[in-house]
Amino acid sequence: MPLESAAPPVNPRPEPSRRFSVAPMMDWTDRHCRYFLRLLSRNALLYTEMVTTGALLHGDAERFLRHDEAEYPLALQLGGSVPADLAACAKLAQDAGYDEVNLNVGCPSDRVQNNMIGACLMGHPALVGDCVKAMQDAVQIPVTVKHRIGINGRDSYAELCDFVGQVRDAGCRSFTVHARIAILEGLSPKENREIPPLRYDVAAQLKADFPELEIILNGGIKTLAECQAHLQTFDGVMLGREAYHNPYVLAEVDQQLFGSQASVISRSEALAQLRPYIAAHLASGGAMHHVTRHILGLGQGFPGARKFRQLLSVDIHKSKDPLALLDQAGALLQGR
Ligand SMILES: Cc1cc2nc3c(=O)[nH]c(=O)nc-3n(C[C@H](O)[C@H](O)[C@H](O)COP(=O)(O)O)c2cc1C
């Protein structure tokens, strides 16, 4: 009698590596941006923009979860603090094919604080633990937390350890640490990414004190050489603004950080590979700038770079033939 085959695992893809990731960024890391970034690196783990539980449960869930399979490995970031809601959203994420679900405990905006979302949750470690536990009970994919090293009024190292310890006890194994505190009153989200000083030493101490946990470093990292150096201490690195403003930094991630032998993609090849995606987006009624606004950062550091950006950010709004304009921009990337 043939042996009964085991039930297929819920998520047959291997757990993605968090050795290198691109940060969740509202309005920036949308599905078009992620599709483009994936062309530059196969291995980078990509995060969505934060989606609140309210938006997913009471809004157009399909729109918020939409992605292309080419984007994998892909993590959905959630904002919320009601365990049952987060659990329901984690399930939606798993069912939609995401590789990981991440809880935002780092966003300092007033708007989210009023709803108990983001960095203010660092003051409520037991609640974050309850959230993580509820999410983990609902899904098989990893549940991770992205947080700061503190918030004003709760910024001692002991309090950081208390937070991480309680969330670990609830079952979380991977923490992405934006290595600065958030100041919850008086600073804009942008200022909160610039003014509180970066404290890699505090994040490193956390790794030393919680060696069993996966600790990913985030904040202010710009080059792959810096990534290599941080990977001596940390399990992974996450890049935000640099990956967006200078996306070509991703082009050697696979070779330098994952040991890939594949040849490094050129800017011009990346654009050529993006062209069919843009054509399909146009054919479905979309506008080219939805996609190309994310690739302006490819245009820097070579003659014609300014023209490249101008074509895709200014001329694009006047053009009747967007693909011809794209080809004109592509010509400026020849040999780059
Ligand atoms: C435009 C923008 C939007 C952001 N949105 C989010 C978000 O939705 N969720 C989140 O956890 N962090 C968000 N962040 C913070 C980044 O994920 C990251 O922690 C921060 O930019 C520090 O990393 P970096 O110095 O590499 O940019 C955002 C940052 C930027 C610039």
Side-chain angles (χ1 to χ4, degrees):
M1 214 166 90
L3 285 174
E4 251 180 44
S5 63
V10 173
N11 182 357
R13 292 194 302 273
E15 183 176 333
S17 166
R18 280 175 283 271
R19 190 170 163 78
F20 180 95
S21 58
V22 178
M25 290 180 281
M26 292 293 288
D27 195 41
W28 289 7
T29 51
D30 66 14
R31 64 191 175 91
H32 303 308
C33 176
R34 298 185 312 253
Y35 187 96
F36 163 60
L37 296 178
R38 175 61 68 223
L39 297 174
L40 297 168
S41 164
R42 271 304 319 144
N43 294 107
L45 173 63
L46 303 178
Y47 282 81
T48 64
E49 308 165 88
M50 178 184 77
V51 187
T52 64
T53 51
L56 266 185
L57 297 177
H58 310 297
D60 184 353
E62 208 181 316
R63 179 168 77 84
F64 289 115
L65 293 169
R66 188 168 171 197
H67 61 277
D68 191 293
E69 286 192 359
E71 293 169 36
Y72 298 138
L74 181 62
L76 182 80
Q77 189 188 53
L78 290 174
S81 56
V82 177
D85 291 355
L86 284 163
C89 290
K91 182 82 172 66
L92 288 176
Q94 174 172 281
D95 291 348
Y98 285 88
D99 294 287
E100 170 189 322
V101 59
N102 176 267
L103 180 63
N104 183 336
V105 188
C107 178
S109 118
D110 287 350
R111 204 164 47 85
V112 299
Q113 268 183 66
N114 296 335
N115 293 317
M116 280 284 276
I117 294 174
C120 61
L121 292 174
M122 290 209 70
H124 304 273
L127 175 60
V128 175
D130 290 346
C131 293
V132 162
K133 171 129 190 16
M135 292 160 82
Q136 284 194 328
D137 287 346
V139 295
Q140 283 80 40
I141 54 175
V143 174
T144 63
V145 169
K146 178 169 180 280
H147 63 99
R148 300 273 185 142
I149 57 171
I151 48 177
N152 50 317
R154 203 186 145 86
D155 60 2
S156 71
Y157 184 64
E159 286 161 320
L160 175 60
C161 290
D162 175 51
F163 173 83
V164 171
Q166 290 200 45
V167 179
R168 172 207 51 200
D169 292 345
C172 185
R173 287 289 164 269
S174 181
F175 294 78
T176 299
V177 185
H178 182 177
R180 48 163 62 92
I181 66 162
I183 296 176
L184 296 182
E185 297 88 27
L187 290 191
S188 69
K190 185 167 186 292
E191 289 168 330
N192 254 313
R193 293 190 288 266
E194 289 161 3
I195 293 176
L198 280 167
R199 294 291 307 271
Y200 295 152
D201 57 324
V202 172
Q205 191 60 48
L206 204 58
K207 178 64 202 175
D209 290 335
F210 293 88
E212 78 283 12
L213 297 181
E214 184 177 75
I215 304 287
I216 312 298
L217 182 70
N218 169 241
I221 307 171
K222 286 185 186 294
T223 64
L224 296 190
E226 288 170 30
C227 292
Q228 300 269 21
H230 290 308
L231 285 168
Q232 303 297 316
T233 306
F234 298 97
D235 302 294
V237 285
M238 171 185 271
L239 270 67
R241 287 163 290 187
E242 188 64 16
Y244 191 83
H245 292 308
N246 176 26
Y248 200 64
V249 71
L250 265 67
E252 289 191 39
V253 161
D254 296 356
Q255 292 73 7
Q256 289 196 29
L257 304 184
F258 290 88
S260 165
Q261 301 293 318
S263 58
V264 175
I265 190 168
S266 67
R267 290 178 177 80
S268 146
E269 281 162 353
L271 191 66
Q273 289 184 23
L274 190 62
R275 194 181 190 282
Y277 178 85
I278 293 176
H281 182 63
L282 290 171
S284 68
M288 192 163 86
H289 71 90
H290 296 158
V291 185
T292 52
R293 73 187 185 98
H294 301 300
I295 73 170
L296 301 179
L298 269 189
Q300 53 176 298
F302 58 88
R306 200 156 158 254
K307 176 78 180 159
F308 175 87
R309 295 196 304 271
Q310 191 203 314
L311 282 169
L312 295 179
S313 59
V314 181
D315 301 8
I316 191 170
H317 297 290
K318 300 174 237 156
S319 170
K320 298 240 173 328
D321 186 354
L323 284 176
L325 189 99
L326 185 72
D327 293 336
Q328 205 184 330
L332 295 167
L333 296 182
Q334 274 319 312
R336 312 257 157 221

